[in-house]
Amino acid sequence: MVSTTKIKSVDFYRKIPRDLTEASLTGAGLSIIAAFSIIFLFGMELNDYLTVTTSTSVVIDKSSDGDLLRIDFNISFPALSCEFASVDISDVLGTNRLNITKTVRKYSIDSNLNPTGSEFRSGPTANTIKHDEESDEEYGDGSAVLSGKVFDRISHQHAILVVNFFAPWCYWSNRLKPSWERAARIIRERYDPEMDGRIFMGKVDCTEETELCRRNHIQGYPSIRIFRKGSDVRGDHSHHDHESYYGDRDTDSLVKAMEDLVAPISLQSERALDRPSTENDVKRPAPLAGGCRIEGFVRVKKVPGNLIISAHSDSHSFDVTKMNMSHFVSHFSFGKKISPRVMSDVKRVLPYLGASHDCLSGLSYISNPSDSNENVTIEHYLQIVKTEVMTSSYKLVEQHEYTAHSSLVRSLDIPVAKFHFELSPMQVLITEDSKSFSHFITNVCAIIGGIFTVAGIVDSLLHTTFRLMKKVELGKNF
């Protein structure tokens, strides 16, 4: 068995008896300085160990050809009616999707961007509206001309008031005119306004009665509105509660639609009963206000393209000089939605990430149509960069940030709000660098040992120097 004496012989830290050591003020001072230095450097090393560091690289975006990019948006148009508001998508590969409705919702809003009701549902419309064949046959005036002075009085005299809001310059208004007058004459003969009074057909020239048309939120021509006595009441937002007719415009279809309106109403009734709508009903609620909030999302190919919001109809005309595409952007972003918990963790890694994720949010773009400022299209040019973040907690977080440049330009066509997007072929890859705990312990030991050693050397030098100075003072030779 190895003796205790032999084991003690390998002791690297042999002790000196305390009574053989001597304390000094310089040694005490150096000890205090060394202790504070060790504490300070240990704190710095611990802070560095706990601080997240990342490495950034720029690489080619290797997204597969079938990957689609999601665009989320919430945009308010105070002067664009939900009745004609259309969200369209196009790109350089030839994709052209018009009037997307499946993932888009519309809400009527007033001029102050306040909602005026529940979601506006325009419903399906026929691809081709049927009209009477064009002919030189005389048709005469069967409907009455209405003005702002008599409109309210007429609407309260009859259970049903059907009005054609038209413009003389409009092609579709002129196509409707013959069949409208024939149908009005037939209805007048069957349901005499003086004797029967259940239905009355009129027309309003919106180039003459601009205020009346504005009050009823007419933006496309022709617009056929159905006013029901008793339900046509002005609400808190100064709007009329009525319906729009979207069916065929030939004489037979118009006459049938008018008779369907009259059928549920008895001669003694003073109020038009609301008839339950059906899936293929051609009469649906008209917009409650002149503005529209459009929200939802679309998916697009990862190539340069456009998201366009405009007034669109295959059977209406628009006065481009009065179209106002001013809008307020509440939200506009690209890519998948990231949960707040994940985003909070990513912010720990990169506090600045996400600052340009929704850079259009809260911005307004105003265009006031006037003699010198007509046909104004508002364009936004968006350049998108994909950023992928690899963290210790989550395998991968994908973020799309973008820059936006906007301008107002004169247009020869119908003014639109255009969001042109273009993705960079490069992407930013950010990786959280992991730190070894063993490396941290090694650095801590180096700090303690280094300071202890340096302090010992300094103490030895000071002690030797003081001894030499004392010998010189005593005059001793050595």
Side-chain angles (χ1 to χ4, degrees):
M1 184 174 180
V2 181
S3 65
T4 305
T5 304
K6 289 184 177 181
I7 295 176
K8 289 182 178 179
S9 65
V10 297
D11 183 8
F12 295 154
Y13 307 100
R14 299 191 180 192
K15 310 300 184 294
I16 300 175
R18 188 175 183 83
D19 57 355
L20 298 178
T21 61
E22 180 183 359
S24 65
L25 289 175
T26 56
L30 284 173
S31 297
I32 295 173
I33 293 173
F36 279 109
S37 299
I38 291 173
I39 294 172
F40 174 75
L41 293 179
F42 173 78
M44 296 290 291
E45 183 64 26
L46 179 63
N47 179 70
D48 183 69
Y49 175 72
L50 297 177
T51 301
V52 177
T53 59
T54 59
S55 58
T56 302
S57 58
V58 178
V59 298
I60 294 290
D61 186 358
K62 297 181 179 180
S63 301
S64 62
D65 187 49
D67 286 351
L68 298 178
L69 178 64
R70 173 170 169 151
I71 305 177
D72 287 272
F73 53 88
N74 184 334
I75 310 172
S76 298
F77 293 82
L80 175 65
S81 174
C82 287
E83 185 176 13
F84 301 110
S86 173
V87 178
D88 309 328
I89 292 293
S90 62
D91 61 39
V92 295
L93 296 182
T95 301
N96 193 21
R97 298 162 58 196
L98 300 178
N99 196 20
I100 299 172
T101 58
K102 186 176 181 179
T103 58
V104 175
R105 300 179 300 277
K106 305 174 188 176
Y107 300 88
S108 293
I109 59 174
D110 59 21
S111 58
N112 296 319
L113 308 184
N114 297 317
T116 59
S118 58
E119 180 181 353
F120 177 83
R121 299 181 182 274
S122 57
T125 57
N127 293 328
T128 303
I129 299 295
K130 183 179 179 181
H131 291 79
D132 283 345
E133 295 293 335
E134 297 186 29
S135 66
D136 296 330
E137 178 185 350
E138 293 292 334
Y139 48 82
D141 289 336
S143 60
V145 177
L146 302 179
S147 65
K149 297 179 180 180
V150 302
F151 188 87
D152 288 338
R153 177 174 58 83
I154 295 295
S155 66
H156 287 85
Q157 285 181 349
H158 304 277
I160 298 291
L161 172 63
V162 187
V163 183
N164 171 24
F165 293 90
F166 71 97
W169 51 263
C170 169
Y171 168 79
W172 295 108
S173 293
N174 292 325
R175 284 292 308 273
L176 171 64
K177 186 176 181 179
S179 54
W180 179 261
E181 299 300 343
R182 293 191 191 100
R185 187 169 61 251
I186 294 172
I187 293 299
R188 188 177 59 187
E189 292 173 354
R190 295 180 183 178
Y191 308 96
D192 184 84
E194 300 296 333
M195 302 297 296
D196 191 303
R198 283 179 290 175
I199 188 169
F200 187 88
M201 295 180 65
K203 57 187 176 184
V204 175
D205 183 349
C206 286
T207 61
E208 298 290 338
E209 300 292 335
T210 55
E211 176 58 26
L212 179 60
C213 293
R214 185 199 63 80
R215 199 173 71 195
N216 288 281
H217 318 300
I218 305 300
Q219 294 185 6
Y221 310 104
S223 290
I224 300 176
R225 296 285 197 260
I226 303 167
F227 299 85
R228 297 174 182 270
K229 183 178 179 181
S231 64
D232 177 35
V233 180
R234 288 179 182 273
D236 296 335
H237 301 277
S238 298
H239 63 72
H240 283 282
D241 189 11
H242 50 260
E243 299 167 287
S244 292
Y245 174 82
Y246 296 100
D248 289 331
R249 298 174 182 170
D250 61 294
T251 302
D252 293 338
S253 297
L254 288 171
V255 170
K256 184 179 183 305
M258 300 305 113
E259 290 186 332
D260 289 343
L261 289 172
V262 177
I265 308 172
S266 64
L267 283 172
Q268 291 77 21
S269 175
E270 296 183 359
R271 175 173 176 171
L273 300 176
D274 293 333
R275 185 170 61 87
S277 59
T278 61
E279 183 179 354
N280 297 320
D281 201 344
V282 296
K283 294 172 285 296
R284 291 184 292 274
L288 302 180
C292 189
R293 186 178 82 238
I294 305 174
E295 62 181 53
F297 68 91
V298 294
R299 289 187 173 91
V300 298
K301 297 178 181 178
K302 292 186 175 182
V303 296
N306 300 291
L307 185 151
I308 299 174
I309 299 177
S310 64
H312 176 80
S313 175
D314 293 330
S315 54
H316 293 82
S317 298
F318 303 95
D319 186 354
V320 296
T321 63
K322 295 181 180 179
M323 297 296 293
N324 185 349
M325 297 306 296
S326 299
H327 55 270
F328 174 80
V329 182
S330 298
H331 178 76
F332 198 99
S333 65
F334 296 88
K336 299 177 182 178
K337 288 187 175 181
I338 301 177
S339 68
R341 185 173 66 89
V342 176
M343 179 56 73
S344 176
D345 190 44
V346 173
K347 289 281 189 181
R348 178 183 61 84
V349 180
L350 297 168
Y352 60 84
L353 189 68
S356 300
H357 171 67
D358 187 13
C359 62
L360 286 178
S361 175
L363 300 180
S364 299
Y365 300 89
I366 307 300
S367 169
N368 295 315
S370 62
D371 293 338
S372 59
N373 194 25
E374 297 176 349
N375 297 31
V376 174
T377 284
I378 303 177
E379 294 187 356
H380 306 278
Y381 183 72
L382 314 177
Q383 292 179 300
I384 311 163
V385 177
K386 178 183 177 181
T387 302
E388 290 184 351
V389 182
M390 190 76 71
T391 69
S392 58
S393 303
Y394 300 91
K395 182 179 180 181
L396 182 68
V397 176
E398 185 179 289
Q399 179 88 30
H400 287 81
E401 298 188 298
Y402 65 93
T403 60
H405 303 277
S406 306
S407 64
L408 279 66
V409 297
R410 295 290 295 272
S411 172
L412 299 177
D413 301 318
I414 294 177
V416 302
K418 179 187 291 187
F419 297 83
H420 175 78
F421 53 88
E422 185 169 341
L423 283 84
S424 171
M426 311 299 290
Q427 75 172 50
V428 178
L429 181 61
I430 302 173
T431 306
E432 181 181 358
D433 296 331
S434 60
K435 295 181 180 179
S436 171
F437 182 72
S438 61
H439 186 268
F440 168 70
I441 294 297
T442 302
N443 287 349
V444 170
C445 293
I447 290 172
I448 296 173
I451 291 179
F452 184 80
T453 301
V454 171
I457 294 173
V458 172
D459 179 64
S460 178
L461 289 174
L462 290 175
H463 182 68
T464 302
T465 302
F466 288 150
R467 287 182 62 187
L468 289 174
M469 291 176 64
K470 285 182 179 180
K471 287 182 179 181
V472 171
E473 289 177 358
L474 296 175
K476 294 181 178 181
N477 297 321
F478 53 90

